[in-house]
Amino acid sequence: MKYRTANDLKDLLLEDYEKVVNHIPLEKLDVYVYLQTVFHDTYVPDDTLYQFIFRHFFRLDNPSLTKEFEIFYFKLMEEQRGYERPNIVQITRDLYEVKNHKGNPTMQFPLAASMLHTINPSFPSYDSDIVKSFDFSSTYHLSGFEKKMKRYIGQYQHTFKTYEELIQDEALEPMFNHFDERFPEYDLPKIKKLDLMVAQLGNLLQ
């Protein structure tokens, strides 16, 4: 698969980096900081306010998913907090076993990535904006867990490696500096700043 490389993304980001940064919604940072901060001091399965905000922010409010899925998701999230490197394949497999309203298993890799990203922001997020930035191919037509998982993992590893390259690229420093000027009160890890900028790029791409 030919996805956008670090050089491809660098060119797109630097083309109009002020526009990219300026379009990042302030509330996105506020909610992210809330979810990160509170996560370390709460018991997620019992914190209904935390669950409510998380569901809306990470689009867990999917009409096809059941209440059982939601309960299982937050229990699993609580269990995973103790692991230094949670296994995203196993998390996705566990979520796959929880049937939807039609009684079918569903592939919820983006939600597995959201779980890991909340536990540790060094794990990239994975949503429709990130997919658009990297020009990732869909898994919709692939049948079965293993084929879909192979595609997702390949894309996720590509994201991780690309972020590592971009973080080290001095050419992007003006963009990071502009981010800090735009959001001076937010002390975010550099990897999260990049994640936000790449997601916003995807949001702006036609």
Side-chain angles (χ1 to χ4, degrees), residues 72-133:
F72 179 77
Y73 182 91
F74 289 116
K75 283 183 177 178
L76 186 60
M77 186 175 180
E78 185 65 39
E79 291 171 6
Q80 294 298 318
R81 75 159 73 230
Y83 293 98
E84 185 176 344
R85 296 190 67 82
N87 187 326
I88 195 168
V89 176
Q90 188 58 51
I91 291 170
T92 308
R93 191 185 299 278
D94 290 343
L95 295 175
Y96 185 78
E97 297 301 323
V98 185
K99 305 293 192 296
N100 65 9
H101 282 296
K102 294 181 179 180
N104 299 319
T106 59
M107 198 73 178
Q108 299 296 332
F109 182 84
L111 290 176
S114 297
M115 183 188 296
L116 263 66
H117 184 67
T118 303
I119 295 170
N120 184 346
S122 65
F123 289 97
S125 61
Y126 184 103
D127 60 18
S128 58
D129 289 335
I130 298 292
V131 167
K132 197 181 294 184
S133 270

Side-chain angles (χ1 to χ4, degrees), residues 2-3 13 54 56 78-79 113 135 153 163 165 168 172:
K2 176 62 176 169
Y3 305 133
L13 288 167
F54 187 100
H56 284 273
E78 185 65 39
E79 291 171 6
D135 197 22
I153 282 297
Y163 279 10
E165 289 185 52
Q168 302 298 326
L172 282 180

